[in-house]
Amino acid sequence: MIERCFKTGRPCAFEPEESPDQVFVGIPYKNPFKDLFEYGVRPALEELGLSPWIAYEHPSSRDIFCKLCEGLQSSSAAIIDISEPNPNVHFELGILAGTSKPTILIKQKGADVSTDLKGMENLEYDGAEELCELLKKHLTQATTKARTYPKVAGYATYREFYRDCSLALDQSSKKVDLTHIRDEPPQDFEGVSDWFGEVIKWCDEHPYGKVRRLIAVSNDRMLAWAQELAEYVKNRPNYNFEVRVCQWTANFPAINMVIFDRRRVFIALTGFGATETAGFQVSDRLIADYFVDYYNNIWGKSDDLNNFLDRVAKGEICIDE
């Protein structure tokens, strides 16, 4: 995904989410291209269980480049027709180059493309029927690869785990969801307190971003940390840092996680000792969405941090020493 808008320099205000079954189609909606889309491109996509995103089907008063950028980012692959000179084509190809999405270039047989595009591989077609067959063959290869093989990495120690969490944080610009559902505060883990400090720093550097943190408070030491977090939340000028407390009564830690920009998930697994934490990460938009749904479920059933601390102060909730 594009980290920052090329026009404003800020994170995208629309937060597009990639759909694994959507394919961007960059083709002029006029004859003969209109018939090529309706009888060549659309049938090929539908036969493969894919849906087209084409600009004319998404009327909007927004800037045209903003609309195209959103369509490109929310698609898992793209088909671009380069048969005619069109400034939109260069814009679309530039965005696609920045996202590394599978892209199929098509052109009519005999069409003379611009010098900038002559060296790029493309599919030549002579009519809608031939185009349909070509796309079915090549789309199967492109979209299967894009949808089937998420990137996975494993970590034998918590130091390795949080090292790469820090790297992923540096590459994020919109949203970070994380949990710390265990009996030990971060300062019990050498190097981990630095990671939590980096999260706070990220909030300061990304006023348009958002951090949500879920914690469990089961003893005095976790309560002290929760109170520190409450002070930080209180002093946040941008209100981009939220903390909630979930109920966790088991005498072992939960499976903890960090989700970056709805596209990368880090899962922490704790062994017999507190520091015997290993884990893995998955970089895949669809899988990340599953974890976001799970996170939202817990978030919706958890207590606001300040409300929780008020209930503790009133004696409504007892915390173990």
Side-chain angles (χ1 to χ4, degrees):
M1 303 295 281
I2 302 298
E3 298 294 342
R4 293 186 178 276
C5 175
F6 73 97
K7 295 182 69 176
T8 67
R10 297 177 178 177
C12 178
F14 300 99
E15 297 190 1
E17 297 179 14
E18 185 177 282
S19 170
D21 299 321
Q22 178 177 290
V23 176
F24 179 91
V25 180
I27 189 170
Y29 199 69
K30 63 180 183 180
N31 283 326
F33 299 102
K34 182 177 179 180
D35 288 343
L36 286 168
F37 172 71
E38 295 294 348
Y39 302 111
V41 178
R42 192 190 293 275
L45 292 174
E46 291 179 348
E47 186 169 329
L48 296 172
L50 303 170
S51 59
W53 190 103
I54 188 167
Y56 91 93
E57 292 183 345
H58 298 268
S60 170
S61 59
R62 283 190 287 144
D63 180 279
I64 181 61
F65 291 124
C66 184
K67 182 170 78 169
L68 290 174
C69 184
E70 183 179 9
L72 287 160
Q73 292 196 74
S74 62
S75 300
S76 64
I79 300 168
I80 308 293
D81 196 303
I82 59 173
S83 300
E84 288 189 351
N86 188 336
N88 285 1
V89 167
H90 295 86
F91 172 79
E92 292 160 359
L93 292 177
I95 294 293
L96 289 166
T99 59
S100 300
K101 295 178 186 287
T103 302
I104 297 175
L105 301 184
I106 60 175
K107 77 177 185 70
Q108 292 176 320
K109 288 181 179 177
D112 186 21
V113 301
S114 65
T115 303
D116 293 340
L117 303 178
K118 281 186 177 179
M120 302 180 73
E121 185 177 355
N122 58 73
L123 302 180
E124 287 193 329
Y125 62 85
D126 186 12
E129 184 176 347
E130 182 181 10
L131 177 60
C132 184
E133 294 304 314
L134 285 170
L135 288 177
K136 283 191 290 185
K137 175 183 176 181
H138 289 272
L139 276 168
T140 300
Q141 298 170 355
T143 57
T144 298
K145 182 177 180 181
R147 292 187 289 172
T148 307
Y149 302 105
K151 296 179 181 178
V152 180
Y155 305 100
T157 69
Y158 73 87
R159 290 184 180 86
E160 295 174 357
F161 179 86
Y162 286 108
R163 176 202 64 202
D164 275 16
C165 277
S166 296
L167 294 174
L169 183 67
D170 289 340
Q171 297 167 2
S172 302
S173 61
K174 297 177 182 177
K175 194 170 187 179
V176 180
D177 291 332
L178 63 161
T179 66
H180 191 85
I181 303 173
R182 57 188 312 140
D183 293 336
E184 304 86 10
Q187 53 264 35
D188 280 17
F189 300 84
E190 181 183 351
V192 176
S193 56
D194 294 338
W195 149 249
F196 283 101
E198 290 171 9
V199 172
I200 291 175
K201 182 181 177 182
W202 185 91
C203 284
D204 294 331
E205 295 176 348
H206 297 79
Y208 297 96
K210 183 77 171 181
V211 168
R212 297 190 301 175
R213 169 172 283 161
L214 278 167
I215 66 172
V217 178
S218 57
N219 55 51
D220 282 347
R221 297 177 66 242
M222 286 298 294
L223 178 60
W225 183 54
Q227 291 167 337
E228 291 178 16
L229 288 175
E231 282 299 311
Y232 178 73
V233 172
K234 179 181 177 181
N235 296 319
R236 288 301 304 152
N238 297 309
Y239 304 101
N240 63 345
F241 184 88
E242 290 186 64
V243 182
R244 290 192 181 183
V245 182
C246 69
Q247 293 185 355
W248 184 262
T249 57
N251 61 352
F252 52 84
I255 295 176
N256 285 289
M257 69 183 76
V258 190
I259 308 170
F260 297 99
D261 283 351
R262 296 184 70 108
R263 59 189 176 90
R264 297 176 72 178
V265 183
F266 283 69
I267 302 297
L269 306 168
T270 301
F272 290 106
T275 59
E276 294 181 14
T277 297
F280 62 94
Q281 69 147 309
V282 180
S283 297
D284 182 86
R285 171 70 64 171
L286 184 61
I287 293 176
D289 281 343
Y290 300 152
F291 281 97
V292 169
D293 288 343
Y294 174 67
Y295 189 97
N296 288 339
N297 185 23
I298 304 174
W299 183 265
K301 296 175 181 177
S302 299
D303 202 358
D304 173 78
L305 176 60
N306 288 325
N307 184 54
F308 173 84
L309 293 175
D310 287 343
R311 292 172 63 196
V312 171
K314 293 176 182 177
E316 297 176 5
I317 299 176
C318 296
I319 303 297
D320 295 335
E321 296 182 0

